[in-house]
Structures are given as structure tokens and as C-alpha cells.
């Protein structure tokens, strides 16, 4: 098992893993159900890797990617405790079902947290599934009941 930062050659696998995530949470019937979403996701990973606006990590086993996670990087105005305003949103955390409960998510998060500390990011945040919440809490993530979300898409 190898945990490493994703390369451009990994983008098709990152997209496939993300589509599987959408299937699992009930947002897609099949991985191929929305070709436009597939292409938009591929474009996102391609552009964000080129710009450095997001970094992804993967778990590779026998030359196959079985898990992934992404940090979407952004800068806000400075605030108390984060004078640089640099933050990241943790997303795209997905482990293929056959590989769950083997420490892969923790390994991915360790690599992502090491990068965040190295880059001196002031804060990481995420939206956790019920299944993932205990892992994030063990790593020090805290709940924030003040966080509200507004979807502007129709």
C-alpha cells in the first residue's frame, strides 16, 4: 500500500472514485449516469492541479487506486488565529468498500494534515458523513453548529 500525492495521470481514477462516492450517497444511479458531471469533474481536477488550487492524495494497492482525498485551497481575509487567511476544505474522501476499516482514511488524512501544516494553512474544514465523523473527531476536528449552507443551484 502506497499513499502519495495524486499526479495528472491519476485524474481518470480520481473522477471514477468521486462518481462512486456520488452513487453511494444516492446522488447518482450509476457512475456513468451523468457524462457532463464526469467531464466537469475531470476538468476541475485538471485545472486545479495545474493552478495548484487543490491537491489530492491517493492510496495505491497493486497499481490500482483504492482511495482518495482532496484539499481545495483558498485564501480569505485575515482573521484572529489565521493572519495569512490560508485554509483548505477537505473533500472527495472516498475508500472503495472492500478497503474500508484498514486505516486508509487515517493514512490519507495524515498525509493531507502534514501538507497543511507544512504550508501553514490556518484551518481545515469539511462536511463529514456519520460514518467518517469519529475519525475526524479523533484527529481534532470539532463540530460547528453555526455553519449553515445555501445551495444556489437549481
Amino acid at each position: 500500500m502506497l499513499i502519495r500525492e495524486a499526479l495528472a495521470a491519476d485524474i481518470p481514477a480520481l473522477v471514477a472514485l468521486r462518481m462512486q462516492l456520488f452513487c453511494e450517497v444516492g446522488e447518482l444511479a450509476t457512475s456513468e449516469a451523468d457524462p457532463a458531471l464526469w467531464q466537469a469533474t475531470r476538468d476541475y481536477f485538471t485545472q486545479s492541479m495545474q493552478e495548484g488550487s487543490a491537491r489530492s492524495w491517493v492510496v495505491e494497492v497493486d497499481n490500482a487506486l483504492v482511495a482518495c482525498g482532496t484539499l481545495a485551497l483558498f485564501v480569505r481575509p485575515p482573521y484572529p488565529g489565521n493572519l495569512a487567511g490560508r485554509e483548505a476544505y477537505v473533500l472527495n474522501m472516498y475508500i472503495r468498500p472492500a478497503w474500508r476499516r484498514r486505516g486508509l482514511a487515517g493514512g490519507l488524512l495524515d498525509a493531507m494534515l502534514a501538507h497543511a501544516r507544512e504550508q501553514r494553512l490556518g484551518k481545515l474544514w469539511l462536511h463529514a458523513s456519520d460514518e467518517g465523523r469519529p475519525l475526524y473527531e479523533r484527529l481534532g476536528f470539532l463540530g460547528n453548529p453555526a455553519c449553515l449552507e445555501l445551495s444556489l443551484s437549481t
Side-chain angles (χ1 to χ4, degrees), residues 95-113:
I95 314 297
R96 290 186 190 269
W99 292 93
R100 292 182 185 160
R101 306 263 182 241
R102 298 184 190 199
L104 277 63
L108 279 170
L109 285 166
D110 287 344
M112 295 163 74
L113 290 172

Side-chain angles (χ1 to χ4, degrees), residues 72-143:
L73 308 166
F74 61 95
V75 179
R76 302 189 331 176
Y79 58 89
N82 188 359
L83 295 179
R86 299 179 68 222
E87 298 183 353
Y89 183 73
V90 179
L91 63 109
N92 206 41
M93 289 293 295
Y94 184 73
I95 314 297
R96 290 186 190 269
W99 292 93
R100 292 182 185 160
R101 306 263 182 241
R102 298 184 190 199
L104 277 63
L108 279 170
L109 285 166
D110 287 344
M112 295 163 74
L113 290 172
H115 175 78
R117 288 183 181 104
E118 176 185 298
Q119 295 300 307
R120 298 181 180 240
L121 301 180
K123 179 165 70 170
L124 297 182
W125 52 286
L126 55 84
H127 289 88
S129 66
D130 290 340
E131 186 179 350
R133 183 174 298 278
L135 170 65
Y136 298 119
E137 289 174 348
R138 275 195 307 275
L139 291 172
F141 284 83
L142 303 173

Side-chain angles (χ1 to χ4, degrees), residues 1-148:
M1 173 176 72
L2 172 66
I3 297 173
R4 62 174 174 78
E5 193 163 348
L7 307 169
D10 298 319
I11 290 173
L14 285 171
V15 174
L17 289 167
R18 185 161 173 81
M19 295 305 124
Q20 290 174 354
L21 169 66
F22 288 141
C23 289
E24 258 189 54
V25 298
E27 293 186 23
L28 286 177
T30 68
S31 293
E32 298 81 24
D34 190 341
L37 177 61
W38 189 283
Q39 184 61 49
T41 303
R42 183 182 180 96
D43 293 347
Y44 168 81
F45 282 117
T46 300
Q47 183 175 354
S48 65
M49 274 189 190
Q50 290 171 350
E51 295 173 344
S53 60
R55 312 271 298 258
S56 296
W57 284 260
V58 294
V59 177
E60 183 178 335
V61 177
D62 297 328
N63 296 316
L65 299 188
V66 299
C68 63
T70 298
L71 290 178
L73 308 166
F74 61 95
V75 179
R76 302 189 331 176
Y79 58 89
N82 188 359
L83 295 179
R86 299 179 68 222
E87 298 183 353
Y89 183 73
V90 179
L91 63 109
N92 206 41
M93 289 293 295
Y94 184 73
I95 314 297
R96 290 186 190 269
W99 292 93
R100 292 182 185 160
R101 306 263 182 241
R102 298 184 190 199
L104 277 63
L108 279 170
L109 285 166
D110 287 344
M112 295 163 74
L113 290 172
H115 175 78
R117 288 183 181 104
E118 176 185 298
Q119 295 300 307
R120 298 181 180 240
L121 301 180
K123 179 165 70 170
L124 297 182
W125 52 286
L126 55 84
H127 289 88
S129 66
D130 290 340
E131 186 179 350
R133 183 174 298 278
L135 170 65
Y136 298 119
E137 289 174 348
R138 275 195 307 275
L139 291 172
F141 284 83
L142 303 173
N144 181 355
C147 183
L148 301 175

